[in-house]
């Protein structure tokens, strides 16, 4: 298929690379030039001189990390106004639910397709084509892009006809990750207060009831107390929890546990951990107790 | 070895049965007579006429569910005062940290051994000898009873020289389970508020980052909205969170997430779910949002 | 002085009336015509045909309830661009801190004065000229408008050189009011659970340690359980707490009590109290306990 | 009347002194001898050689600060068993609701009267006879002791026939004080984060909506940042909040705001403020934000 790709950071580049490998024609555009674009071009991608060229095919993917950036590139610029009818836009980013609803409406009223396809997985999974990809939107549009999504996914998870539902599910999943980090933090601080090393507690947990990938990745990271360099920056995790809270508020759904997470993230930033991995949220549980993680 | 066993509920009976199978002499005593004792006697256990007889061997196990019951049987009755020096008491129950510390001291000053060995697993795991058994106490005592613990455990997890540390770890682990239930509740309520079935969200979660036994058991249970008959009663889960909070307070460790869980459990009881499985905690997240789980 | 006034709801009309009484020339403009404008004109106000006319004097007051409305009237419309140098804008509204900072900057770069003067008090206090008016901004601008503020205030409370500080103080004060409501709710629910009428508890409190105007107004209102018609609508109170939380987040200040309030407000809306007085927040404390306020 | 008095700390001595002044015969007993007893004897009190002598009159007051101490003096010692029928015990202490219920029952089954009369006010108010005294119990007993209570009270506040209700009201009132401290802490931290001195914010609050004795005492104390020497020690305030939470749990009433207070108190102790005035709770709000109160 003839597809475009806007936003070639670590995640986007991996996804685009897999689309190429699957035999698709991929027109790539990134705001700032860089090695990722060069690499993709060497692999056969076509360099788009302007965002509009990335919209010349049947489908355009975007992976831009901020709602503002997406708004600027697609809406404020007039890009969508110029898109040809029938084009399907696949938004891979984790956006707010309100923004997803708005994007959906903006595409519909221009006769364009809109599919929300936020992904679970880190850059290495993107590179290997092993992401878990959530997906929602009008059935025809989803049907058209599903083979493309499969090109870079371990599995595609459908969430129905309304695009923003995939975003709700993504935020709910990220909220659960943050909740796990806080849980490990509090459980570890309680253990350490009685002379039990957090690592020892986590060893038990991750080999019994909590033997899951997320726990196996994060528990040793927390026990190590080393949160730099970050895999996923704390302010980004805080943003996802904030978006979950905002989505909850808009739908009259209180999320008291998410409120605790939000307060913890803010305390983490106040304590100077704003540049670290979001697992540093766990350190606040120790700090509140006058303990130091790793003592 | 010649061992005694006090407290033959579902869990205790399973453990005692495996001790018998491993070839040990087991003297059993239960406050109220019942089929469990009869079955064990048929399997070769010796019926103790009084608790003191259960203390006649080298080791005595107890599995009594309340701190008060343990206090009554072992301390108030004078039973420990009469125990012969060198006897090791293995307490399998999930007790408060303060009580564990007191029990430890009461045994030490009478020249008795005390090993805390709280277990992870449900009655069926006890019957199959597949419990995960935490274990802490003086090294000599622990060394003596470890082969006995192995007779009914998938694995024995050592937590050091001070008995109460095993109880801290057990409470921390149960706190993490309650936290998972609340997380699934809030994530599910958020999803449902936007038309995503909780089951669909959980399907994603339990097959990706959260593919762990605890999530795989509890997520479908929560999605079903059916919390009767209970596997583990809500007030017992509430008690464990209360014990974690009390242990935190005694060691100057705030646990704000545990506070949210405690408030949620109380609201669950107020809403009439006090006789249900503790997974009904998740239903409060839906109720707060004016939703009904399963709508 | 020659002043303009934009936004003549209940509060604005009262303030403008007192400016007239104090002998000032007042040019009034309201988006929708209505009796308030007519009344003011009869009292001597000059009707502005367009917002620009309200900016023709030395000072312009505005009392618009939403950040969006202020942005639309003053910024998006180009109104400020056309204002003559030296004009001082006094914003009486409770706006977000971020918006106050932005407004301050927008005025400064156009050579205009900006004073934040959010008020404490209800419409009747505005009509009587007995508001408590917070005030912050560049000293010269503040100096110029203080006599005007005194025309409708019991007292003017200065908060320094940066306009947004008055907004921070206003939000902090409103947060404290919401906190009082939640406190009365929880204290009342605890009392009622033991057969003590909330009114009886409140009678004690408001005549001893808590003998303050806010408690004396809200405690009987809560005890009555009648939250309609609203004096201050619940979603507006929820908004102020949200703005306090946002201001806290932007300045790395966790506000866990405010998080509890926010969750409570959302639950109140979910329970159908979105059109009631914000004191209905107290009812959620009873609802969580399976009680009914007034039972 | 012929009355006894057990427990002559700062508060008890003040109360007993006023009973003497009112012309009653007062038999005083304190566990440890001290100047308070000597002073009272000089003022005409009779020194009881043993607690039993303090129970020889018609009414006995007690002001012992811990449930355990009351249990030891009145129950474990057999003192109540020896009391003559018709004696009325007035318990002035702030005890747990569960303990109050138990004391009530213990007295009733021995044919004794029991009146709960916890007081609001500090030692100087006790000395001046200006306490606010809550009061509940069987009508006849209450009728008998009310004139005695009036001897040291600005006002006596009746809370009905069941003694423990007065304790519920006292705990609810103390919870509200702790809530006020946390509110002032969070509001002050928010203000300070934007360069507004907490004292300036409090000045506004305590002269407008929150012009109440409690705010006027605590706001300047918090703004000063000086919490030593303590007027009311932090662990005692933490205990009252814990008792409110326990009373809530026993009656299925969640108190999420009280949970936040409890977590804050624990953090305060962890930060080394355990010997300070309970107003130091407010300092945790600043600490969470990486601020220092008074900066």
């Amino acid at each position: 298929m003839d597809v475009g790709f806007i936003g070639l950071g670590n995640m986007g580049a991996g996804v685009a690379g897999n689309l190429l490998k699957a035999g698709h024609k991929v027109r790539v555009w990134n705001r700032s030039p860089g090695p990722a674009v060069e690499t993709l071009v060497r692999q056969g991608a076509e360099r788009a001189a302007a965002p509009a060229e990335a919209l010349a095919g049947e489908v355009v993917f975007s992976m831009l990390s901020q709602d503002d950036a997406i708004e600027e590139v697609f809406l404020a610029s007039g890009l969508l106004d110029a898109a040809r009818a029938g084009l399907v836009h696949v938004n891979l980013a984790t956006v707010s639910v309100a923004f997803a609803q708005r994007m959906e409406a903006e595409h519909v009223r221009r006769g364009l397709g809109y599919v929300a396809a936020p992904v679970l997985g880190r850059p290495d999974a993107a590179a290997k084509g092993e992401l878990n990809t959530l997906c929602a939107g009008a059935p025809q549009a989803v049907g058209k892009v599903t083979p493309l999504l499969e090109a870079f996914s371990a599995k595609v998870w459908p969430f129905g006809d309304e695009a923003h539902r995939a975003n709700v599910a993504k935020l709910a999943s990220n909220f659960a990750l943050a909740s796990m980090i806080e849980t490990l933090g509090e459980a570890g601080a309680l253990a350490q207060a009685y002379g039990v090393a957090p690592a020892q507690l986590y060893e038990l947990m991750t080999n019994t009831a909590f033997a899951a990938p997320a726990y196996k990745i994060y528990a040793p990271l927390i026990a190590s107390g080393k949160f730099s360099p970050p895999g996923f920056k704390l302010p980004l995790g805080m943003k996802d929890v904030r978006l979950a809270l905002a989505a909850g508020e808009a739908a009259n759904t209180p999320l008291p546990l998410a409120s605790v997470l939000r307060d913890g993230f803010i305390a983490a930033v106040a304590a100077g951990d704003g540049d670290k991995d979001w697992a540093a949220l766990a350190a606040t549980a120790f700090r509140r107790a006058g303990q130091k993680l790793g003592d």
Side-chain angles (χ1 to χ4, degrees), chain A:
Chain A
M1 213 179 289
D2 184 346
V3 307
F5 207 107
I6 291 178
L8 296 154
N10 282 343
M11 293 296 292
V15 170
N18 281 295
L19 289 169
L20 277 173
K21 271 184 225 160
H24 302 289
K25 173 173 178 182
V26 185
R27 307 153 182 266
V28 297
W29 186 80
N30 200 43
R31 240 187 310 190
S32 50
V37 175
E38 299 313 315
T39 305
L40 288 165
V41 169
R42 273 197 303 276
Q43 291 167 357
E46 187 170 312
R47 189 191 318 263
E53 283 180 30
L55 273 67
E58 293 174 71
V59 172
V60 62
F61 286 84
S62 69
M63 181 58 123
L64 297 164
S65 62
Q66 301 287 339
D67 291 11
D68 284 358
I70 303 170
E71 168 140 26
E72 196 186 315
V73 171
F74 283 88
L75 296 175
S77 66
L79 189 64
L80 275 198
D81 298 319
R84 64 165 190 71
L87 175 78
V88 177
H89 177 190
V90 180
N91 190 344
L92 302 168
T94 298
V95 302
S96 73
V97 174
F99 185 69
Q101 290 172 320
R102 192 178 144 216
M103 283 294 277
E104 205 170 4
E106 295 283 359
H107 283 74
V108 165
R109 69 184 182 81
R110 288 176 174 87
L112 306 172
Y114 183 74
V115 173
V119 296
L120 301 177
R122 296 190 164 224
D124 61 330
K128 289 186 208 155
E130 294 177 356
L131 293 170
N132 277 283
T133 304
L134 290 63
C135 165
Q140 205 182 339
V142 167
K144 183 172 198 169
V145 305
T146 297
L148 296 169
L149 303 179
E150 286 167 347
F152 56 83
S153 303
K155 184 159 179 180
V156 175
W157 302 84
F159 279 91
D161 293 7
E162 300 183 35
H164 67 271
R165 288 182 177 171
N167 300 102
V168 171
K170 172 68 194 282
L171 291 176
S173 181
N174 271 17
F175 152 67
L177 286 171
S179 170
M180 174 199 69
I181 293 171
E182 174 71 19
T183 300
L184 290 169
E186 295 193 14
L190 178 61
Q192 186 171 288
Y194 284 94
V196 175
Q200 202 177 358
L201 172 66
Y202 299 159
E203 179 75 10
L204 168 73
M205 288 172 63
T206 58
N207 283 289
T208 54
F210 300 98
Y215 285 82
K216 284 180 178 290
I217 290 168
Y218 281 99
L221 179 56
I222 292 168
S224 78
K226 301 217 182 308
F227 303 116
S228 297
F232 183 60
K233 272 204 175 180
L234 195 139
L236 295 175
M238 178 156 90
K239 187 195 76 173
D240 286 356
V241 169
R242 193 197 308 126
L243 296 185
L245 283 164
E249 183 171 339
N252 299 338
T253 304
L255 304 171
L257 201 157
S259 290
V260 167
L261 300 177
R262 183 183 168 281
D263 291 328
F265 276 124
I266 298 173
V269 174
D273 285 353
D275 286 327
K276 299 188 179 168
D277 192 89
W278 72 327
L281 170 64
T284 62
F286 291 79
R287 211 175 279 123
R288 274 191 294 259
Q291 299 181 43
K292 204 166 160 269
L293 211 175
D295 277 5

